Amino acid sequence: MLANYHTHTARCNHAFGTEREYIENAIQNGFKILGFSDHVPQPYPADYESHIRMRMEEAESYTDTLVKLRDEYKSDIQILIGYEVEYTRKFFDKMLEHIRQYPLDYIIQGQHFIPNEIDGFYAGAMTTQESSLAEYVEFTVEGMKTGKFSYLAHPDLINYVGPDEVFQKHMKEIIQTSIDLDIPLEVNMLGFMTDRNYPSDRFYSLAASMGAKFVIGCDAHNPVHVMQPNSVSGFIDFLNKNKIKPIQDNIIELKPV
């Protein structure tokens, strides 16, 4: 693939390496486009501190660093500036207003908390509750319908361990919305490499059969994660088994934020 749009930085407090190291590794591995999409800062109350995302005041240094590197490496690779964004009803508009102050190419949607990090549950925690699955789908679809997101990251992050038929009944709504709105679904390489509950056969076999579009995301939290799919043992087999055909060269059309 020529592009990866899912790259983090150390500012999120759970990624490692410098931006330059990610870029150098991307060039070495044949990428022509590298999008940085670190976890977006959120306008949380002053008495709440998130340990999994940059602070609001760090958006400026994040952008400045990438603008300088974008210019430095413009002959070798195209650098894009973005964020991985949690859609919330409570903070979304104020968050957008803040990040739009700086150069911004795109955002991708990644729903980790429902309804938000402060008031809700972590979608990656194992659950048998159909109500949690339904709420995850509700918020994800609502976010997709804002029209701001260029793609949906790890759409099956919700760790519902109940019956497949219940899982697919609800997740079908996300897939159909992605088709109706022409929003690609990400096949997450980091989740596959680290043996997480996503990407899952029961989601992607259904999504492929329904005709969804797919993009591969490195979800790089370390420079070495910026790699080609054939470098991840078993990943190509996963794609083939589920009849997943990613967008050509993995290059997507970016939506205005």
Side-chain angles (χ1 to χ4, degrees), residues 9 18 31 46 51 66 75 111 113-114 131 152 168 194 204 207 217:
T9 79
T18 65
F31 289 90
H51 298 287
L66 294 177
S75 298
Q111 294 299 135
F113 298 94
I114 307 297
S131 59
L152 177 60
Q168 292 184 326
T194 53
Y204 285 93

Side-chain angles (χ1 to χ4, degrees), residues 91-105:
F91 305 111
F92 189 67
D93 291 340
K94 189 174 181 182
M95 176 276 301
L96 282 182
E97 183 181 352
H98 181 72
I99 63 176
R100 282 173 175 154
Q101 297 177 78
Y102 312 103
L104 180 62
D105 296 305

Side-chain angles (χ1 to χ4, degrees), residues 11-75:
R11 288 175 185 79
C12 70
N13 301 303
H14 59 279
F16 306 92
T18 65
E19 292 86 348
R20 185 181 299 277
E21 289 173 316
Y22 285 91
I23 294 168
E24 293 281 358
N25 211 57
I27 294 169
Q28 183 179 339
N29 283 292
F31 289 90
K32 298 301 180 184
I33 300 171
L34 182 65
F36 281 87
S37 51
D38 208 358
H39 293 282
V40 76
Q42 294 279 11
Y44 292 148
D47 60 352
Y48 182 85
E49 182 179 359
S50 174
H51 298 287
I52 57 166
R53 65 185 70 250
M54 69 179 81
R55 300 184 304 277
M56 293 287 279
E57 61 268 22
E58 289 183 284
E60 184 173 5
S61 69
Y62 172 71
T63 309
D64 287 348
T65 299
L66 294 177
V67 165
K68 290 173 184 174
L69 289 168
R70 180 182 65 187
D71 294 340
E72 181 181 342
Y73 283 93
K74 63 184 178 184
S75 298

Side-chain angles (χ1 to χ4, degrees), residues 14-250:
H14 59 279
F16 306 92
T18 65
E19 292 86 348
R20 185 181 299 277
E21 289 173 316
Y22 285 91
I23 294 168
E24 293 281 358
N25 211 57
I27 294 169
Q28 183 179 339
N29 283 292
F31 289 90
K32 298 301 180 184
I33 300 171
L34 182 65
F36 281 87
S37 51
D38 208 358
H39 293 282
V40 76
Q42 294 279 11
Y44 292 148
D47 60 352
Y48 182 85
E49 182 179 359
S50 174
H51 298 287
I52 57 166
R53 65 185 70 250
M54 69 179 81
R55 300 184 304 277
M56 293 287 279
E57 61 268 22
E58 289 183 284
E60 184 173 5
S61 69
Y62 172 71
T63 309
D64 287 348
T65 299
L66 294 177
V67 165
K68 290 173 184 174
L69 289 168
R70 180 182 65 187
D71 294 340
E72 181 181 342
Y73 283 93
K74 63 184 178 184
S75 298
D76 303 304
I77 192 170
Q78 181 183 6
I79 302 299
L80 299 173
I81 301 170
Y83 290 95
E84 181 181 6
V85 173
E86 302 271 350
Y87 170 74
T88 69
R89 294 169 184 158
K90 197 169 187 178
F91 305 111
F92 189 67
D93 291 340
K94 189 174 181 182
M95 176 276 301
L96 282 182
E97 183 181 352
H98 181 72
I99 63 176
R100 282 173 175 154
Q101 297 177 78
Y102 312 103
L104 180 62
D105 296 305
Y106 70 104
I107 58 175
I108 60 176
Q109 183 180 3
Q111 294 299 135
H112 302 84
F113 298 94
I114 307 297
N116 60 68
E117 186 179 348
I118 300 175
D119 304 318
F121 66 90
Y122 173 55
M126 193 178 294
T127 182
T128 59
Q129 297 298 312
E130 184 175 356
S131 59
S132 296
L133 173 62
E135 193 174 6
Y136 171 84
V137 170
E138 177 186 352
F139 269 80
T140 300
V141 167
E142 191 173 315
M144 295 168 78
K145 288 182 176 178
T146 65
K148 303 299 182 187
F149 295 105
S150 291
Y151 79 63
L152 177 60
H154 39 61
D156 56 338
L157 181 140
I158 182 72
N159 197 0
Y160 175 76
V161 295
D164 286 353
E165 57 269 25
V166 175
F167 176 84
Q168 292 184 326
K169 177 186 74 172
H170 289 281
M171 297 296 276
K172 196 177 223 179
E173 187 177 351
I174 289 177
I175 298 165
Q176 189 60 54
T177 303
S178 79
I179 294 168
D180 294 343
L181 300 178
D182 197 26
I183 297 175
L185 302 174
E186 179 197 69
V187 189
N188 190 277
M189 281 172 48
L190 181 65
F192 187 88
M193 279 192 298
T194 53
D195 199 27
R196 300 181 187 182
N197 63 289
Y198 62 90
S200 65
D201 292 325
R202 65 179 181 172
F203 179 82
Y204 285 93
S205 60
L206 177 62
S209 71
M210 290 176 62
K213 287 185 178 179
F214 301 103
V215 60
I216 296 173
C218 293
D219 198 358
H221 286 71
N222 187 309
V224 299
H225 293 157
V226 185
M227 62 175 69
Q228 293 292 340
N230 57 9
S231 298
V232 179
S233 177
F235 188 70
I236 299 298
D237 291 337
F238 174 82
L239 298 180
N240 292 336
K241 177 174 61 172
N242 290 297
K243 296 181 172 59
I244 298 167
K245 295 182 179 179
I247 292 169
Q248 185 174 359
D249 298 328
N250 215 50

